[in-house]
Amino acid sequence: MFHHVKELQFNVRVSKPDPRFARLLLEQFGGSNGELKAAMQYFIQAFPCKRAYPDKYDLLMDIATEEFSHLEIVGATIQLLLTGVNGELKNAADTSEIMQVMNGTAGKESYIHEAMVNPQFGVLSGGAPILSDSCGNPWSGTYINANGDLSVDLRSNMAAESRAKIVYEYLMQFTDDPYVKESLQFLMTREIAHFQMFEAALETVQPNFPQGTLQGDPRHSNKYYNMSNGEEMRGPWNEGISTKLGEEWQYIEDPINHVRDTEGLATESIEGTDRTIEEVAETDQELGQERKEEISEAEAASPLQWNAYS
């Protein structure tokens, strides 16, 4: 049950109208890394958690709901930046008034140029936010990442918060309005907070690496293939011990001959790790059963109902 509170989570203010920045800000309204994408992604991810992982259901629904409030903040900011546009567009008989809102002829010409790039924003919306990115591409459900596995979804969310954070960081470079920057700073900071929440939640899912249930073939999990000619670059991604599985990286300097010598990796040997194929198969079976029981036990209640109302 949603209940809309009319006061915004953060007080939105602008110094003066700025239609050009309003268009840029659409990126966080209906763009691929925007607030609606985040809200819908976490909202959808929450459903399979309701019974088996009610704490994660609560987390995802809480953050999804906050993201809807952030969408409202972005929409309100866009509307204030478009102050005057909607009303003057209604005054169809007097074209001089709209030029005043656009800061004269040059401003109007600039607005027309913006309309050529994103015609829907000015021509169809009449000076109101539209559910698109800054180039006029409509919001799409294809932006959503929801895979029904917590170890995958929480990592997707950490990536989503990272991308949204950097977009706000970039946006702040395109406005001099201190009030707008204040709002963007708040929204950016909440991305940082949400990243940490998802990261902490992921740590409560154990084991959580590799993602999902199956553990991966030890013949291939620590091989690094030098797939480019020129100077060889080495680092903790291809030498030393791997960060999660604790295996020693095996650097394949000549991948072509290596593949030929192993008959297309069919005779590849296990090197640099204590894991065996037999142990992996056993772990796959045990962890698969454990995950199945977690969900099955949570769904065993009868009759099936979403809530128990008091």
Side-chain angles (χ1 to χ4, degrees):
M1 179 174 63
F2 287 88
H3 178 81
H4 180 248
V5 178
K6 296 177 179 63
E7 293 85 3
L8 294 178
Q9 183 186 18
F10 187 86
N11 186 24
V12 170
R13 299 178 293 174
V14 304
S15 298
K16 59 183 179 180
D18 186 350
R20 298 185 69 179
F21 188 72
R23 178 203 153 191
L24 287 180
L25 195 51
L26 280 175
E27 200 61 43
Q28 291 302 81
F29 194 71
S32 60
N33 298 303
E35 300 294 352
L36 180 60
K37 172 261 172 70
M40 293 305 299
Q41 178 160 306
Y42 310 153
F43 185 73
I44 291 169
Q45 289 175 354
F47 284 98
C49 298
K50 173 64 175 175
R51 295 175 180 274
Y53 313 104
D55 54 339
K56 308 307 186 300
Y57 174 85
D58 190 61
L59 167 75
L60 289 164
M61 279 297 185
D62 280 347
I63 299 181
T65 305
E66 184 180 354
E67 299 290 11
F68 280 117
S69 75
H70 294 175
L71 182 70
E72 188 175 19
I73 290 171
V74 174
T77 305
I78 292 172
Q79 192 63 58
L80 290 179
L81 290 170
L82 293 172
T83 297
V85 175
N86 186 276
E88 299 306 335
L89 283 173
K90 298 296 186 291
N91 189 8
D94 193 343
T95 57
S96 64
E97 294 298 322
I98 188 68
M99 280 194 281
Q100 294 179 21
V101 175
M102 297 303 161
N103 296 318
T105 304
K108 182 180 181 183
E109 290 175 352
S110 175
Y111 188 71
I112 292 172
H113 171 74
E114 294 292 316
M116 294 295 291
V117 180
N118 182 3
Q120 288 185 321
F121 192 31
V123 177
L124 294 185
S125 74
I130 59 175
L131 208 56
S132 77
D133 64 16
S134 57
C135 291
N137 300 306
W139 188 88
S140 171
T142 58
Y143 298 155
I144 305 303
N145 292 298
N147 295 98
D149 185 282
L150 273 174
S151 65
V152 176
D153 284 347
L154 291 172
R155 285 183 170 92
S156 292
N157 297 350
M158 291 163 65
E161 296 292 332
S162 299
R163 289 190 296 270
K165 190 268 184 186
I166 201 66
V167 172
Y168 279 122
E169 189 171 323
Y170 291 152
L171 281 168
M172 290 170 69
Q173 308 305 312
F174 291 92
T175 179
D176 294 323
D177 190 321
Y179 293 130
V180 173
K181 282 192 171 184
E182 191 177 60
S183 296
L184 299 182
Q185 176 77 22
F186 167 75
L187 292 167
M188 184 193 74
T189 303
R190 291 307 295 165
E191 311 294 350
I192 298 170
H194 292 167
F195 180 100
Q196 296 177 95
M197 295 173 197
F198 289 132
E199 183 179 42
L202 178 61
E203 289 305 307
T204 68
V205 181
Q206 294 296 337
N208 66 37
F209 189 88
Q211 301 89 328
T213 301
L214 301 180
Q215 299 300 294
D217 193 324
R219 294 175 297 175
H220 310 297
S221 56
N222 62 339
K223 300 295 195 304
Y224 182 92
Y225 294 95
N226 179 32
M227 303 294 273
S228 54
N229 294 327
E231 183 182 358
E232 294 182 4
M233 298 295 179
R234 305 300 295 271
W237 55 87
N238 62 18
E239 65 181 356
I241 305 301
S242 63
T243 58
K244 295 294 186 182
L245 294 178
E247 301 173 327
E248 183 180 356
W249 288 114
Q250 305 297 301
Y251 188 84
I252 311 301
E253 186 173 354
D254 186 353
I256 294 176
N257 282 326
H258 181 80
V259 168
R260 288 170 177 166
D261 292 342
T262 59
E263 300 179 38
L265 303 182
T267 61
E268 181 73 291
S269 60
I270 297 176
E271 299 179 79
T273 178
D274 294 330
R275 296 196 308 141
T276 67
I277 293 177
E278 293 75 21
E279 289 174 346
V280 165
E282 184 177 345
T283 302
D284 287 347
Q285 187 173 12
E286 291 175 354
L287 187 57
Q289 184 64 27
E290 179 182 331
R291 293 283 190 261
K292 176 184 176 182
E293 289 176 357
E294 287 176 353
I295 297 173
S296 297
E297 290 176 7
E299 294 178 342
S302 181
L304 295 176
Q305 61 182 21
W306 200 250
N307 294 111
Y309 295 92
S310 58

